[in-house]
Amino acid sequence: MKSLRSVILKLKTVISNSKLLLALLINGFFLLLVLLFCDMKYEVSDDFIMSTIISGVYTGRPNPHMIFVNIVLGYMLEPFYKIFPGISWYFLFQIIIIFVSSIVVTFVVLEKADKVKGVLLSIILLLFFVNDMYILMQFTKTAMFAVISGSWLFLDALFYEKKRRRVLIGGGLCVIGTMVRFYVIYLAGGFLIFIIGYEVVKMIRAQSDRRISRKKLGRIVIGGSILIGVSFGLNELDQCLYEKDEAYAFFREYGKARGEIVDYLDYGYEAYANELGEIGISENDYYMLKKWGFADNDFFTLERVQKTADIIKSYNRKQWSGWEAIIEKIQERKITNYPVFMANIFLLLLGLFLNYEKLWTSVVVNGIGWCYILYFFIRDRNVYRTEFAVFLGVFLCCIYFWTEDKKENVNYVEIRKKCGVVIIALCIVKSIIYLPDRTYMNVSSEEKKNYVENIFFESWNYDARKYRKVVNKVECKSGLLDEFHNNSEKFYFLDFNTTIQTLYYEWSPWETVDNEDYQNYYYLSGITSNFPAVVNKFEAEKVSNPLRDLVKEYVYVVDNYYVDIKLNYLKEHYFPNARAELYKEVDGYQIWKFYKE
């Protein structure tokens, strides 16, 4: 008994003295809880589509062209899919990035602040931010975490002249984050510039010898320039590799114009009627574009789509409803109800008692965050994943300035007790996410579409029910997939709005999708429109112009919302007497057949 007690005490001492081991244990424990009790899934379909691309669903071999993720990262993942093709390495890779990033933050916080404060801050980060990333995985959120946490370690090592391996690890993590989603570098930039400015001023004030100060500053500038250069260089390499292939270059150009049309606020056709009419875009054509129905390169040419995007952008930039309207939009979106927002408010309140001397930094950082939020509302580009990234940046930047209290009159025992109580209270309050919603056990295949759609369709909005909702353990499969598999002689186009946020939940994110599962159906339009592998797939089915070829005998459309718009399009452009008939309805999905007359 004594020997066991001594072993426990020795182990406790080892853990207590090793900040890295403590960080590993804290983060490993919470990841284990998520793995055991939570249903991990993709928050939006973009990640699922990219995972199918890299796994080789459309080509039969791994394809590194993952649309939003740097192609170099695709080449890095490619060998893993060749060796272990059944594992979704894209999903696993994001888990690893999140886990490593959270360890880095915990480790640095434990070094900068005293142990009990470091543990408290890490627990808040895990409960309010990291668990969100694990349970509802989304590559923008993952990238933001990697960029800021890697920059933390990188800057900490440069300014305080620590081991070079920290520079390499931090810089590497930051670069990987920019490869996952390059444009988060601009989101993280505002927070990192503030940290750098603070550290530079602090260094200059503390350094009595200006020559030494300039020399140290030179090393920091060179190190930072190399990191920024590598990140931007890899992004340029990604662009060059896409432009090198004519088909992928066209896909990128088309996708950019497409995004500028569908992502902007819809003011209705009348707002642009004169300009769009001049380039031949009718009202029905306009709604085909806005409702993801642009699968006709003969009419929706790259030039016409680009001109449409320019018209919409030009009009939208001129719209200004005033600050009062912006505030009303923020209130309508209920951002203040987000747990990630409340976590930052809670951190501010904690700072009053535990980090009072640096409280001003938290106020400034929150101001930077709200400048980002206002910018996105002004641009009408507010989605939860971006808002999450902003509040994650606010939180991480704030806790960067938490330092160990050196005052002699500080009662550390009292602080430890209060922090301990706060940690226990937070764990109890947030423990609800580990209690899965068991209603999935009563869901039939007919009900599954509504079960998923009611919660997950609005992927751009925050909904607390998403975290507990179980989709991957639902044993029943949608009868729509059976319809596809049992009618291999037919080809089915899927309306983007009807299926994009529901059907991909038929597959576990842990496993790759079998190539056979995508043999005779695909989205009519979507983020993969004009993607070379998809174009080849359509050509193999002899549907070179998807919209015009809807009338072919063996082609069907799954569409619950926009059949009339598609029918009107065919009447306007190809077949004046075209008609559509409901072929059948399968588990809530309507399947339509179009005819020339």
Side-chain angles (χ1 to χ4, degrees), residues 149-203:
S149 60
S151 298
W152 259 42
L153 192 61
F154 183 83
L155 293 173
D156 186 63
L158 283 180
F159 277 103
Y160 297 98
E161 299 181 337
K162 295 179 180 178
K163 295 179 180 178
R164 288 184 179 179
R165 65 186 178 192
R166 293 195 185 190
V167 174
L168 297 175
I169 294 171
L173 187 57
C174 180
V175 168
I176 287 174
T178 62
M179 292 168 72
V180 173
R181 183 61 163 165
F182 177 74
Y183 291 107
V184 300
I185 200 170
Y186 300 110
L187 270 181
F191 303 109
L192 296 176
I193 288 171
F194 180 68
I195 291 175
I196 293 169
Y198 173 88
E199 292 290 3
V200 168
V201 172
K202 180 181 175 182
M203 180 190 70

Side-chain angles (χ1 to χ4, degrees), residues 69 101 378 391:
V69 173
S101 298
I378 292 170
F391 288 122

Side-chain angles (χ1 to χ4, degrees), residues 280-312:
I281 297 290
S282 69
E283 183 172 6
N284 194 78
D285 296 333
Y286 170 77
Y287 287 110
M288 283 289 287
L289 288 167
K290 294 296 286 188
K291 306 301 180 184
W292 295 83
F294 38 81
D296 182 353
N297 285 350
D298 293 333
F299 178 74
F300 292 121
T301 62
L302 175 59
E303 182 182 7
R304 182 171 275 148
V305 172
Q306 287 175 331
K307 287 181 178 179
T308 302
D310 291 338
I311 291 169
I312 292 174

Side-chain angles (χ1 to χ4, degrees), residues 48 59 90 100 114 151 155 176 179 209 218 240 289 291 313 347 353 362 380 402 410-411 433 504 520 538 541 551 584:
F48 171 76
T59 56
Y90 175 82
V100 172
D114 55 79
S151 298
L155 293 173
I176 287 174
M179 292 168 72
D209 190 330
C240 289
L289 288 167
K291 306 301 180 184
K313 282 194 301 180
L347 186 65
F353 304 99
S362 295
D380 287 311
W402 279 60
V410 171
N411 189 334
I433 66 171
Y504 78 90
N520 64 328
F538 289 170
E541 298 292 338
V551 299
K584 66 169 63 174

Side-chain angles (χ1 to χ4, degrees), residues 4 266 294 457 575:
L4 178 62
D266 185 5
F294 38 81
F457 183 80
F575 312 110

Side-chain angles (χ1 to χ4, degrees), residues 45-46 60 87 149 252 314 371 373 407 410 480 490 501 539 577:
S45 58
D46 293 354
I87 300 173
S149 60
R252 270 279 175 93
S314 176
C371 285
I373 295 293
K407 292 182 179 179
V410 171
L480 186 63
K490 299 175 182 176
Q501 279 304 109
E539 289 178 350
N577 298 318

